């Protein structure tokens, strides 16, 4: 049986890019059968763009402020992703809501990582929310993306214990480590055909 072709990924970022790095490292070591065809940030000068360039991956900044509305911004994203010939879109710390302009261009093929056990603590600062609420277990979630805030169908989750002495930095670091493993593991399953594009059809 011949192996499936590598996944062609477009990765959208807004900041540090540690999840992007985990993906780039997994590709580099052969642990993940994928090619990162393009990395796009909506914010200039972020470390994620440097990480992409250091790995020899085309890195593009498309500042969202330059567009009259979300739809116009998403059309620019789609144009760049199509140009790069990606088949799946990965949100790795991308802090923008998506519109049908991009959701319909990659139906069921956009995934996001979130630093909590959804549906708990969606939105911004999920680790801080978990700490303030006092939960003893939190974690991270990889899910398909829809129009909502961290609301699409869940693909995989990993639990992370909240330790009594945790502060935001220690808890966030532990969640990040879990995210890096979980994201790569989900992408490996997609590459192997074990996770297929999400369908809204019955
Ligand atoms: C990650 O923890 C990711 O789950 C979160 O942003 C961080 C980006 O870190 N995303 C969200 O909160 C989306 N709602 P990174 O830039 O180091 O990968």
């Amino acid at each position: 049986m011949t192996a499936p072709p590598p996944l062609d990924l477009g990765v959208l970022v807004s900041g540090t890019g540690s999840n992007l790095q985990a993906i780039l490292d997994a590709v580099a070591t052969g642990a993940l059968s994928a090619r990162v065809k393009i990395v796009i940030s909506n914010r200039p000068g972020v470390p994620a763009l440097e990480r992409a360039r250091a790995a020899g991956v085309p890195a593009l900044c498309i500042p969202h402020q330059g567009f009259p509305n979300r739809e116009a911004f998403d059309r620019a994203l789609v144009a760049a992703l199509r140009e790069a010939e990606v088949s799946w879109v990965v949100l790795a710390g991308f802090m923008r809501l998506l519109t049908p302009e991009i959701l319909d261009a990659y139906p069921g093929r956009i995934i996001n990582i979130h630093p909590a056990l959804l549906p708990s603590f969606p939105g911004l600062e999920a680790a801080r929310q978990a700490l303030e609420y006092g939960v003893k277990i939190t974690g991270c979630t990889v899910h398909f993306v829809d129009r909502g805030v961290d609301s699409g169908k869940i693909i995989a989750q990993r639990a992370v214990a909240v330790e009594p002495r945790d502060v935001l930095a220690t808890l966030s670091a532990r969640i990040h480590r879990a995210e890096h493993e979980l994201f790569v593991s989900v992408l490996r399953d997609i590459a192997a055909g074990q996770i297929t594009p999400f369908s809204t059809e019955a």
Side-chain angles (χ1 to χ4, degrees), residues 18-34:
S18 70
N19 279 287
L20 166 68
Q21 191 67 58
I23 295 166
L24 292 170
D25 290 349
V27 170
T29 62
L32 173 61
S33 171

Side-chain angles (χ1 to χ4, degrees), residues 136-149:
K136 305 306 173 208
I137 306 274
T138 183
C140 51
T141 302
V142 176
H143 63 94
F144 289 104
V145 176
D146 63 13
R147 290 193 70 170
V149 178

Side-chain angles (χ1 to χ4, degrees), residues 114-141 156-164 166-179 182:
H114 182 76
L117 293 176
L118 292 172
S120 291
F121 311 128
L124 297 175
E125 304 213 40
R128 183 191 299 277
Q129 293 182 57
L131 211 50
E132 286 175 358
Y133 208 95
V135 295
K136 305 306 173 208
I137 306 274
T138 183
C140 51
T141 302
Q157 294 186 305
R158 189 154 298 179
V160 169
V162 182
E163 305 292 350
D166 264 335
V167 292
L168 185 57
T170 54
L171 178 60
S172 296
R174 201 175 307 118
I175 294 172
H176 258 113
R177 284 195 294 276
E179 286 190 318
L182 186 70

Side-chain angles (χ1 to χ4, degrees), residues 46-60:
V46 293
L49 288 170
E50 281 315 308
R51 292 177 191 269
R53 291 188 187 111
V57 170
L60 196 63

Side-chain angles (χ1 to χ4, degrees), residues 65-90:
Q65 297 94 334
F67 296 86
N69 52 44
R70 288 183 189 278
E71 287 75 14
F73 172 64
D74 282 1
R75 279 195 289 277
L77 290 180
V78 169
L81 292 165
R82 287 213 167 117
E83 173 83 23
E85 299 187 324
V86 317
S87 53
W88 284 75
V89 179
V90 177

